[in-house]
Amino acid sequence: MSSTAQTVPTLTLDDCLRIALTENPTVKVADLEITRMDYSKKEIIGQLLPTVDFGATYNRMVAKQVMYLNMGGLGGGNNGGDDSDTESKPSEGIKMGLDNSYSLGFQAAVPIIAPQLWKSISLSDSQILRSFEASRQSKQNLVNQVKSAYYALLLAEDSKKVIQESYDMAKLTYEIYSKQYSLGAASDYDVLRTSVAMKNVEPELLQADIALKQTRLQLLILMGIDASFDFTVSDRLSNYEDTMYENVLSTVSHDYSGNSDLKLLDIDSDILEKNLSIQKLAYSPTLAFTFNYNWTSMSNGSPFKNFRWNPYSTVGLTLSVPLFSGWQRQSRIKQTKIQVEELKLQRENLERSISMQIDLAIDNLNVNVKQISSSSESVKQAERAHDIMAKSFDIGAASYLDLRDSELALTRARLAYFQAIYNFLIANSELELLQGTAPIEKYVENQ
């Protein structure tokens, strides 16, 4: 058993964040999206390069076209100056074409003047930048989620420890009264009362076990690890009390320039502006250079013999000048202008919302600091009260109800203390997410 226990890894918060930013599928999808957008830019650049195609065509004549010639001397109508009533004989017609026709060759084209394509390259740069920011946003969200799950796991472990101590104390008291009852030194009521007190703690202990399993599972899911993976954590919520004020409160600010939602809106606005420019360039003419080199063959009879290949080639310029498209381009431009105005309004609203949320988060931090200080003092007082009551109970100066009340008060004080630290850490993590200041590079620098 000891050798097995030694193989169970102990993970810190930094370990969990490092694993999550490496293994979580959401982060992998965001990174793949960056790669996809890079290929999208290469696709646009490729449209400025020459395109070369090879094609081949075969046609079999099913029914040949017949041509009739209206020539006076060959059976067509009357002679020019002859007024004779004699009817002319109809001509037999001439069949045109051969049974088989083949054509194969190469076609090449390269754009010379293409304003929309040129502008699309800068648009693809903005789209790549947006993918980078979206990836950073997903990592910021993941850091917040992992921290929340990790702190919840610490809270579950500390809460279970407190409830377990309360249960052990109630069980020990029940066993003592049971032995005293068997010796005739305690009443049946004392045994029943201590038994009820012990059983009242059992549901809380069961809930603590369930909460512990759920938080462990949630943390494993966020890290992208199989649910059967076993690990331990060495941290305790009380360990953060000594450093949280110095590390957090000393660096609190109202700056939200790093907020990912705002940055994404700014990038979206830039993309819309460039889209608007591209749509306006739809009125510009385009010019392309074309080149063709082909071979043709025509024959009668079997399609597999009598080939007579003749090459021919052409070069040329293709000019396209947009004139009228049913006001489609004008409508698209007006739609894009409306979208630009919508994004400006959305950004103003989002900026006000984020500013308000940051103010509330800072207020929550200050409130939680007071709660931690108050809860810490309550724990000290509850411990002293419990010690006094335990000594009084030992000498018979206090009843079991008095002792039990002091135990419950101590349990509530400890749970409130851990909850206050947890609330502080969660509020700080939310503030970090709003400001976009999570040190992601710290956890991915070695990748």
Side-chain angles (χ1 to χ4, degrees):
M1 293 294 292
S2 60
S3 60
T4 303
Q6 292 177 357
T7 60
V8 177
T10 300
L11 300 180
T12 64
L13 176 59
D14 287 348
D15 294 332
C16 294
L17 290 171
R18 192 171 291 109
I19 294 173
L21 290 173
T22 305
E23 301 297 332
N24 188 278
T26 303
V27 173
K28 292 182 178 180
V29 169
D31 291 338
L32 287 175
E33 185 66 15
I34 296 176
T35 305
R36 187 185 72 84
M37 294 309 301
D38 185 50
Y39 282 115
S40 176
K41 178 182 178 180
K42 293 179 180 179
E43 177 186 2
I44 295 175
I45 295 176
Q47 296 179 31
L48 299 174
L49 302 177
T51 58
V52 180
D53 298 312
F54 174 82
T57 303
Y58 166 74
N59 290 309
R60 176 72 178 184
M61 189 73 70
V62 177
K64 295 180 180 181
Q65 185 179 2
V66 179
M67 177 181 292
Y68 296 93
L69 299 177
N70 187 7
M71 299 177 64
L74 297 177
N78 299 329
N79 293 330
D82 189 359
D83 294 334
S84 173
D85 293 333
T86 305
E87 294 184 356
S88 61
K89 297 180 181 179
S91 64
E92 296 180 356
I94 303 173
K95 292 185 177 180
M96 306 293 295
L98 300 179
D99 294 338
N100 309 297
S101 62
Y102 310 84
S103 176
L104 57 88
F106 297 92
Q107 298 83 37
V110 57
I112 299 176
I113 300 177
Q116 281 190 304
L117 286 179
W118 298 339
K119 191 65 178 178
S120 296
I121 296 177
S122 62
L123 175 62
S124 63
D125 290 334
S126 297
Q127 291 173 336
I128 292 176
L129 181 61
R130 193 190 191 284
S131 297
F132 272 106
E133 185 57 38
S135 175
R136 192 181 80 92
Q137 183 187 48
S138 66
K139 292 176 182 177
Q140 291 275 347
N141 289 328
L142 181 60
V143 168
N144 177 61
Q145 293 172 1
V146 170
K147 284 186 175 181
S148 299
Y150 187 83
Y151 296 146
L153 177 60
L154 298 184
L155 177 63
E157 289 193 343
D158 287 334
S159 298
K160 181 184 177 182
K161 182 180 179 182
V162 171
I163 296 174
Q164 185 68 52
E165 290 176 354
S166 177
Y167 176 78
D168 293 341
M169 182 62 67
K171 182 179 180 181
L172 177 62
T173 305
Y174 166 72
E175 291 175 351
I176 291 175
Y177 273 100
S178 296
K179 292 180 181 179
Q180 290 179 351
Y181 175 76
S182 63
L183 298 175
S187 65
D188 185 36
Y189 175 74
D190 292 330
V191 175
L192 292 176
R193 184 171 57 186
T194 54
S195 176
V196 171
M198 179 186 69
K199 293 184 181 300
N200 285 339
V201 184
E202 289 179 354
E204 297 180 9
L205 189 61
L206 180 61
Q207 291 178 359
D209 285 330
I210 294 175
L212 184 59
K213 292 179 181 179
Q214 289 178 342
T215 53
R216 287 175 64 89
L217 180 60
Q218 182 181 7
L219 183 57
L220 287 171
I221 292 174
L222 290 172
M223 289 193 296
I225 299 179
D226 190 82
S228 61
F229 179 76
D230 191 16
F231 70 97
T232 61
V233 292
S234 58
D235 282 343
R236 290 293 178 265
L237 287 175
S238 57
N239 297 341
Y240 290 87
E241 183 180 5
D242 297 334
T243 59
M244 65 172 58
Y245 307 112
E246 177 182 356
N247 296 340
V248 176
L249 295 182
S250 61
T251 59
V252 168
S253 70
H254 290 77
D255 179 33
Y256 52 84
S257 59
N259 183 272
S260 287
D261 290 329
L262 282 177
K263 286 191 172 184
L264 285 174
L265 270 182
D266 290 338
I267 296 174
D268 287 339
S269 297
D270 180 63
I271 290 176
L272 277 179
E273 293 286 354
K274 291 180 178 178
N275 267 326
L276 183 60
S277 300
I278 290 174
Q279 290 170 6
K280 291 179 179 179
L281 289 174
Y283 292 98
S284 303
T286 59
L287 181 65
F289 172 79
T290 59
F291 170 77
N292 294 281
Y293 194 92
N294 297 276
W295 293 268
T296 61
S297 176
M298 302 180 70
S299 64
N300 279 322
S302 173
F304 303 106
K305 57 177 63 176
N306 301 323
F307 296 111
R308 292 179 296 180
W309 293 104
N310 299 290
Y312 76 94
S313 61
T314 62
V315 294
L317 294 174
T318 301
L319 176 66
S320 176
V321 181
L323 295 178
F324 181 71
S325 61
W327 295 285
Q328 297 180 41
R329 288 187 290 269
Q330 294 91 329
S331 298
R332 282 195 293 266
I333 290 174
K334 290 180 180 179
Q335 290 179 53
T336 306
K337 287 181 178 179
I338 293 175
Q339 288 178 319
V340 171
E341 293 300 321
E342 289 175 348
L343 275 186
K344 289 180 180 179
L345 296 174
Q346 290 176 13
R347 193 190 189 286
E348 292 177 2
N349 184 59
L350 179 61
E351 190 171 4
R352 285 193 294 265
S353 176
I354 292 174
S355 179
M356 181 189 67
Q357 292 179 55
I358 288 180
D359 290 339
L360 292 175
I362 293 176
D363 290 340
N364 286 335
L365 286 177
N366 293 325
V367 170
N368 289 326
V369 167
K370 296 178 181 179
Q371 289 180 346
I372 292 172
S373 178
S374 176
S375 299
S376 178
E377 187 64 26
S378 296
V379 170
K380 294 178 182 178
Q381 294 176 354
E383 288 175 347
R384 288 177 56 195
H386 181 264
D387 291 339
I388 294 173
M389 193 58 62
K391 293 178 180 178
S392 299
F393 179 76
D394 290 339
I395 62 176
S399 66
Y400 172 73
L401 290 179
D402 295 331
L403 177 63
R404 186 59 185 165
D405 287 341
S406 68
E407 291 175 356
L408 292 176
L410 178 59
T411 299
R412 287 194 294 267
R414 287 175 173 171
L415 292 176
Y417 169 70
F418 292 132
Q419 185 68 46
I421 296 178
Y422 170 78
N423 291 340
F424 179 90
L425 295 173
I426 292 298
N428 178 57
S429 180
E430 291 293 335
L431 177 61
E432 189 180 68
L433 177 63
L434 286 171
Q435 295 178 326
T437 56
I440 301 174
E441 297 78 10
K442 173 183 176 182
Y443 310 113
V444 298
E445 58 184 1
N446 295 325
Q447 295 181 26

